Amino acid sequence: MSSDSIVALKKRPWRSYVWDTWDKSPEERRFLGKLDACLLTYAALSYFSKYLDQQNITNAYVSGMKEDLGLHGNQLNYITTAWTCGYVIGQIPSNMLITRIRPSIWIPTMELIWSALTMILASSTNFNHLIVIRFFVGLAESTFYPAIQYVIGSWYKSEELAKRACIFHTASAIGPMFSGFLQTGAYNGLNGVHGLAGWKWLFIIDGVITIPIALLGYLIMPDLPTNTRPSVFYTEKQLEIGRKRMEAIGRKAPEKFTKAKVKGFFKTWHLYTLVPLYVLFNNGSGPSSSMIFWLKSFNTPEHTKYSIGQINVYPLGQNVVQIIMTLTWAWTSDGLQNRWLPIVLAGTWNVAICIALAATPLYTNIGRRWALYYMTATQGGLSGIILGWANELTGNDNEKRAFVVACCNTFAYTVQAWLPIVIFPQVEQPRVLRGNITTACISVGMISFAVLTATLQYRDTRRAKQVAVDADAVDYTPQSDRSSVAKSIGEDEPYVAPAK
């Protein structure tokens, strides 16, 4: 952390570390309160429903879908990969469109589409049906996460970004938690009702939950500062506050796409450090998926140790850990105005956990392995910090910012489309020694790119300060020097300072 940052931290009142609007003016505080209530509420609810729809395939698989549809081998991995392929294809085009199409229309519409497709999953009768429908579910859902991160980055300052991005990201942990309880309730209470298996009811219920959330988005989802219209939620004066806040920190408004602008996306280091950083983060949580298979492995045809309900519910402790650590990293990052430190701390912890999982037997010390599986979620909440960092570093070019944020998520899931099949094959669950060791190496790579990004950010900040100092030095010329300059150019000619 630079000395300027330390001075800035000391000047902040203590209450701003608890919640950053408490030291703002009453007008700005009211505006941010409304913005938080609308944007974060919709983002969190939609992300909750997205993860509900995204994760229910695993719950359904271990709750009867495997047996009913005759699935075998690595077919669950292939179904997951089909969703990932759709998710990868749609993200960059969507985030480029969102700079031109109102987010309050685009995002809720896509949400309605993925909710309908989720309910159609209940009609699947074979592996091929699941593959096709999951692909289109992923394509529709691809429009959400990078778009919301881009919109958040369009409204909030640096000391506000990580908290907002991570608050809504906690829904990614709450969604699977609810899915686990929902699957247990669906299996126990609805299994066989109207001739439908419990796992089919899960898809139907998930889709029904998503529809009203999408409709709410049409009402409360804000657009960008430049095209959000006055409404019952925001007055024109408040929207002007939002625009001036972004102007003050150099966060640019949308501009026309040009060939030079697009080429500029690739001419700075941001794309080449932030994207690998996010890719490594996103693919560093593989060991957490093994717990559900580990619990199921205790059951044999002759003896059942864990019921289907227990298999779905017990791994939810990972989600509780993720929520706690997500908020911890967010407040730490915004409070210290430091992005790389939480990433390094979480990555180091994940390396230790992966090594411990690889080095310890599956069934010798049940309590220890249980705890290790729970702690695999420690770095799961870094997404908001990394993408918030990307919003900050590329804020002087709106289109580049949308592109970099989308690229982070796109390439992360491009790798995720094939990497789990290679290092966490279903046939090797729950031991997956290769996967645990590889994940430890992935986290080391994440730490390295976080440090590299911070180093380049510090270098650019130092250069910008030097340019400002040099410009000020050119502007300032002592009076004696001005006299001599005046004489050299003529007594009657006024002295004009050199332009910056």
Side-chain angles (χ1 to χ4, degrees), residues 58-71 183 187 191 197-200 296 308 312:
T58 302
N59 292 115
Y61 181 87
V62 300
S63 303
M65 185 178 74
K66 175 185 176 182
E67 293 76 14
D68 289 351
L69 301 188
L71 304 179
Q183 176 57 44
Y187 189 86
N191 189 32
W199 62 267
K200 292 189 175 186
K296 191 165 185 174
I308 288 177
N312 281 310

Side-chain angles (χ1 to χ4, degrees), residues 298-320:
F298 284 89
N299 296 341
T300 65
E302 297 78 23
H303 174 69
T304 299
K305 182 170 183 178
Y306 296 110
S307 67
I308 288 177
Q310 289 172 321
I311 292 172
N312 281 310
V313 170
Y314 288 161
L316 299 181
Q318 295 174 322
N319 302 76
V320 175

Side-chain angles (χ1 to χ4, degrees), residues 213-489:
I213 297 174
L215 296 177
L216 179 66
Y218 288 117
L219 178 64
I220 69 171
M221 172 73 185
D223 296 308
L224 306 180
T226 53
N227 63 355
T228 298
R229 303 166 182 174
S231 65
V232 294
F233 300 107
Y234 312 106
T235 65
E236 178 58 37
K237 183 178 179 181
Q238 289 172 333
L239 293 174
E240 183 62 24
I241 290 174
R243 288 188 285 268
K244 287 182 177 179
R245 278 164 42 87
M246 294 299 99
E247 291 172 4
I249 61 174
R251 200 78 50 81
K252 298 295 185 181
E255 299 174 348
K256 290 184 178 180
F257 280 104
T258 64
K259 187 176 181 180
K261 174 180 277 291
V262 173
K263 284 184 177 180
F265 296 170
F266 303 93
K267 290 183 177 180
T268 60
W269 55 266
H270 305 99
L271 191 68
Y272 308 107
T273 64
L274 289 166
V275 171
L277 172 62
Y278 195 80
V279 168
L280 292 164
F281 149 74
N282 196 69
N283 290 276
S285 58
S288 64
S289 65
S290 298
M291 186 174 185
I292 197 167
F293 296 102
W294 179 65
L295 294 172
K296 191 165 185 174
S297 70
F298 284 89
N299 296 341
T300 65
E302 297 78 23
H303 174 69
T304 299
K305 182 170 183 178
Y306 296 110
S307 67
I308 288 177
Q310 289 172 321
I311 292 172
N312 281 310
V313 170
Y314 288 161
L316 299 181
Q318 295 174 322
N319 302 76
V320 175
V321 172
Q322 181 180 331
I323 291 170
I324 294 171
M325 296 311 301
T326 296
L327 299 179
T328 299
W329 299 135
W331 259 256
T332 301
S333 180
D334 275 356
L336 297 178
Q337 282 293 277
N338 184 308
R339 306 306 184 205
W340 66 266
L341 182 59
I343 299 171
V344 169
L345 292 176
T348 303
W349 182 258
N350 203 49
V351 170
I353 297 301
C354 291
I355 292 173
L357 284 170
T360 54
L362 281 173
Y363 307 110
T364 300
N365 190 322
I366 304 302
R368 177 181 60 196
R369 196 163 192 87
W370 200 298
L372 289 173
Y373 279 131
Y374 277 5
M375 289 187 287
T376 56
T378 300
Q379 77 166 36
L382 295 178
S383 175
I385 292 176
I386 297 173
L387 294 182
W389 204 3
N391 272 307
E392 291 173 16
L393 294 174
T394 59
N396 62 344
D397 186 327
N398 179 80
E399 288 68 31
K400 177 181 176 181
R401 181 165 63 86
F403 181 74
V404 170
V405 169
C407 282
C408 286
N409 221 40
T410 295
F411 286 98
Y413 279 90
T414 299
V415 175
Q416 188 172 304
W418 57 267
L419 186 63
I421 299 175
V422 175
I423 65 175
F424 289 98
Q426 189 179 327
V427 293
E428 293 183 12
Q429 292 283 10
R431 184 72 182 105
V432 287
L433 177 65
R434 174 177 40 175
N436 291 326
I437 294 173
T438 304
T439 302
C441 297
I442 288 172
S443 291
V444 171
M446 181 187 74
I447 293 168
S448 302
F449 271 97
V451 173
L452 175 60
T453 303
T455 301
L456 292 172
Q457 179 186 20
Y458 175 75
R459 183 204 65 182
D460 286 358
T461 301
R462 187 178 56 192
R463 287 179 177 177
K465 287 181 179 179
Q466 187 59 50
V467 169
V469 169
D470 292 344
D472 289 341
V474 170
D475 269 351
Y476 173 73
T477 305
Q479 187 63 42
S480 58
D481 292 342
R482 293 186 180 212
S483 299
S484 60
V485 171
K487 288 179 181 178
S488 66
I489 62 175

Side-chain angles (χ1 to χ4, degrees), residues 10 36 51 55 77-79 124 132 151 201 207 220 222 266 279 317 342 347 368 393 404 452 458-459:
K10 289 181 178 178
D36 290 339
Y51 252 79
Q55 298 295 318
N77 289 116
Y78 298 139
I79 294 168
S124 301
V132 173
V151 172
W201 278 110
I220 69 171
F266 303 93
V279 168
R368 177 181 60 196
L393 294 174
V404 170
L452 175 60
Y458 175 75
R459 183 204 65 182

